Amino acid sequence: MKVTFIGLGTMGYPMAGHVSKAGHNVTVYNRTTTKAQAWCEEYSGGFATTPALAAKEADIVLTCVGNDDDLRAVYLGTDGAFQMAKPGTLFIDHTTASAEVAKELSAAAQEKGFLFMDGPVSGGQAGAVNGVLTVMMGGEQSHLEMAQSILDCYAKSTSLLGPVGNGQLAKMVNQILIGGILSGLSEGVRFAEKAGLDMVALVETLKHGAAGSWQLENRGATMAKEEFDFGFAIEWMHKDLGLCLAQAEKMGLSIPLTKAVDQDYQELMAEGRGRQDTSVLIKALDKKA
């Protein structure tokens, strides 16, 4: 297939690489052209200087950018991907963004004869590099079937969760759960340390029981060792939790734990920890002791 990938950040760069290594004809676009050139030196494919040119001949266009405004720019802008794409092109957005912008882009795509799905991902930088992401899709089953072989290049699990927008709503649930788990894990780690328990042995024991989680298994011991450099920065998590809180407000729902976790992340960012991993939440707990 002719595949375009727009956005070569921490996630998009390796994701596009997996599609290229699978033998597809890949064209990339990145706001910083040097990043696109570097990608082309590492993988087989070409780069375009605008989203419109990148999407011009594509069968499928994948996007993974920063936020709602970035999405509107790369899709709807003067040089946006919708300007030159051919009818029937399938667009899949992997950005973590609002459900509203997903629906907005879907409506615009429909008017132009394009197909659109939202498909935010979970798994972090390691999941992208290793090609084992979880993709939460919103859209039509027939459209997912068109894209499945491409998604399989970088995903271990792809689920259709309803109409366009539901992928983003599912990702919000994912981030709410991560925040809550890390909050409890922070308390558990400090409790274990005070009790004199061996954290490595404890994690190995607890991961098989009801308290087991990805965060426990992959971050429990490193949190105890004050290691917080694992790729998913808290400045990104703050952005994601902001989406969760805004959506909850629209639904008239109170999510106090998520609000508290987000406040902790904001305080940690103010200390200059914005690029550290989400597991640095434990340092916010230390200040409350």
Side-chain angles (χ1 to χ4, degrees):
M1 285 189 188
K2 291 183 178 180
V3 180
T4 289
F5 206 109
I6 295 174
L8 300 176
T10 300
M11 305 294 286
Y13 193 102
M15 291 166 70
H18 287 300
V19 178
S20 175
K21 287 191 289 186
H24 297 284
N25 183 348
V26 180
T27 299
V28 298
Y29 166 80
N30 194 69
R31 186 164 48 190
T32 305
T33 303
T34 53
K35 192 75 170 287
Q37 293 172 323
W39 185 93
C40 289
E41 292 174 3
E42 186 172 349
Y43 300 104
S44 175
F47 74 92
T49 54
T50 67
L53 290 171
K56 186 176 180 180
E57 300 295 332
D59 300 309
I60 295 179
V61 177
L62 308 167
T63 55
C64 191
V65 294
N67 55 38
D68 287 19
D69 290 339
D70 293 331
L71 283 172
R72 292 187 179 99
V74 299
Y75 276 92
L76 307 174
T78 304
D79 294 318
F82 281 175
Q83 298 302 322
M84 300 178 73
K86 61 187 180 182
T89 300
L90 172 58
F91 290 84
I92 298 177
D93 177 43
H94 290 309
T95 308
T96 296
S98 70
E100 284 71 25
V101 78
K103 294 174 184 177
E104 178 185 333
L105 295 177
S106 180
Q110 190 171 6
E111 287 182 3
K112 293 178 175 291
F114 308 141
L115 313 175
F116 180 87
M117 302 187 78
D118 59 316
V121 300
S122 180
Q125 182 178 13
V129 170
N130 295 318
V132 292
L133 293 168
T134 296
V135 188
M136 294 155 268
M137 302 291 292
E140 299 292 332
Q141 178 65 38
S142 59
H143 300 166
L144 176 57
E145 291 170 359
M146 291 171 57
Q148 193 65 66
S149 63
I150 302 299
L151 298 171
D152 287 345
C153 295
Y154 47 79
K156 68 174 180 180
S157 173
T158 303
S159 300
L160 183 63
L161 296 163
V164 168
N166 278 21
Q168 295 296 350
L169 294 173
K171 179 61 183 289
M172 292 176 199
V173 175
N174 185 81
Q175 302 306 74
I176 290 169
L177 294 177
I178 289 174
I181 291 167
L182 283 170
S183 182
L185 182 56
S186 295
E187 293 188 6
V189 168
R190 288 297 185 245
F191 185 99
E193 290 175 330
K194 288 290 186 180
L197 296 172
D198 182 313
M199 199 63 208
V200 173
L202 184 62
V203 168
E204 187 62 29
T205 300
L206 297 182
K207 72 179 185 181
H208 299 293
S213 70
W214 187 97
Q215 297 293 338
L216 170 67
E217 188 169 353
N218 291 275
R219 297 290 180 263
T222 56
M223 287 166 74
K225 292 189 288 185
E226 306 267 314
E227 295 176 358
F228 307 116
D229 186 19
F230 298 102
F232 194 75
I234 63 173
E235 61 185 25
W236 302 336
M237 188 61 158
H238 168 57
K239 183 213 68 167
D240 292 358
L241 293 181
L243 293 169
C244 301
L245 292 165
Q247 183 65 39
E249 185 175 359
K250 291 175 185 175
M251 298 187 299
L253 178 67
S254 174
I255 46 174
L257 177 57
T258 302
K259 187 174 183 178
V261 169
D262 185 54
Q263 182 60 47
D264 286 342
Y265 280 137
Q266 290 184 60
E267 292 176 6
L268 290 167
M269 289 167 61
E271 295 176 5
R273 296 180 179 271
R275 300 297 298 175
Q276 292 186 315
D277 179 78
T278 50
S279 61
V280 77
L281 186 64
I282 195 170
K283 300 303 292 183
L285 176 65
D286 293 343
K287 294 193 299 178
K288 300 173 185 178

